[in-house]
Amino acid sequence: MLRNGLGKTFRFLGYTLQYGCIAHCAFEYLGGIVVCSGPSMEPTIQNSDIVFSENLSRHFYYIRKGDIVIVKSPNDPKSNICKRVIGLEGDKVCTSNPSDFLKNHSYVPKGHVWLEGDNLRNSTDSRCYGPVPYGLIRGRICFKIWPLNDFGFLRASPNGHRFLDD
């Protein structure tokens, strides 16, 4: 009887460990559901919107300009941020705020990306902390899940003029 009970317990623990490993790999490498907070990506993503983030793009270096990504915060490694990719390594980017009269430009260093929120007046982004290492990217947002009336793929950047092509 005791032997039977121990056998069931160990089988249960074994299945729990196996399914836990499968779930971990799925969330780490395939993607997951993310709840976004803060005003920095408005109007594209509102506070408390729920989105699906896929993680394969970061592993295959398939992040492009205009993509919205989830990134480990350069200021606080315990938190994630949601920003739009404005420039990739070697790209020329505008490093000044939209209200600045004189515009400053710089090049994104190798192995880094330039990130900005869609709400330029209320976003802490690469204009504050500089280029972000590619290794901090956790995933690329594919589409919005919630609210249901806004379900689907995300719209283009309202700041498309900030993308430079020189």
Side-chain angles (χ1 to χ4, degrees), residues 7-75:
K8 286 181 180 181
T9 302
F10 283 123
R11 271 195 301 279
F12 174 76
L13 290 174
Y15 287 132
T16 302
L17 184 63
Q18 285 177 336
Y19 291 123
C21 290
I22 291 169
H24 168 74
C25 289
F27 289 127
E28 180 67 25
Y29 296 104
L30 297 180
I33 295 171
V34 178
V35 178
C36 296
S37 62
S40 72
M41 285 302 294
E42 291 176 357
T44 309
I45 298 174
Q46 304 289 327
N47 192 33
S48 300
D49 280 359
I50 300 173
V51 297
F52 178 76
S53 170
E54 62 86 13
N55 299 346
L56 290 174
S57 293
R58 74 180 172 112
H59 293 295
F60 295 113
Y61 295 92
Y62 195 63
I63 301 293
R64 297 176 295 176
K65 280 198 270 189
D67 286 346
I68 299 174
V69 293
I70 303 292
V71 180
K72 284 280 183 201
S73 172
N75 294 338

Side-chain angles (χ1 to χ4, degrees), residues 2-152:
L2 178 64
R3 187 177 198 181
N4 190 18
L6 282 175
K8 286 181 180 181
T9 302
F10 283 123
R11 271 195 301 279
F12 174 76
L13 290 174
Y15 287 132
T16 302
L17 184 63
Q18 285 177 336
Y19 291 123
C21 290
I22 291 169
H24 168 74
C25 289
F27 289 127
E28 180 67 25
Y29 296 104
L30 297 180
I33 295 171
V34 178
V35 178
C36 296
S37 62
S40 72
M41 285 302 294
E42 291 176 357
T44 309
I45 298 174
Q46 304 289 327
N47 192 33
S48 300
D49 280 359
I50 300 173
V51 297
F52 178 76
S53 170
E54 62 86 13
N55 299 346
L56 290 174
S57 293
R58 74 180 172 112
H59 293 295
F60 295 113
Y61 295 92
Y62 195 63
I63 301 293
R64 297 176 295 176
K65 280 198 270 189
D67 286 346
I68 299 174
V69 293
I70 303 292
V71 180
K72 284 280 183 201
S73 172
N75 294 338
D76 178 14
K78 292 181 182 177
S79 66
N80 292 321
I81 57 174
C82 176
K83 303 291 179 201
R84 190 177 298 271
V85 176
I86 301 299
L88 301 170
E89 64 180 45
D91 287 344
K92 183 178 179 181
V93 292
C94 180
T95 59
S96 53
N97 289 313
S99 58
D100 293 349
F101 180 71
L102 294 173
K103 303 296 181 198
N104 297 319
H105 296 90
S106 182
Y107 287 93
V108 180
K110 185 175 176 130
H112 289 72
V113 293
W114 189 267
L115 304 174
E116 291 181 2
D118 285 354
N119 185 356
L120 292 173
R121 300 198 188 289
N122 195 2
S123 177
T124 302
D125 49 36
S126 287
R127 293 171 295 148
C128 300
Y129 44 70
V132 176
Y134 193 91
L136 292 182
I137 296 175
R138 306 302 306 145
R140 181 178 62 92
I141 295 179
C142 296
F143 55 88
K144 194 181 294 190
I145 297 172
W146 188 264
L148 286 177
N149 64 342
D150 209 10
F151 180 87

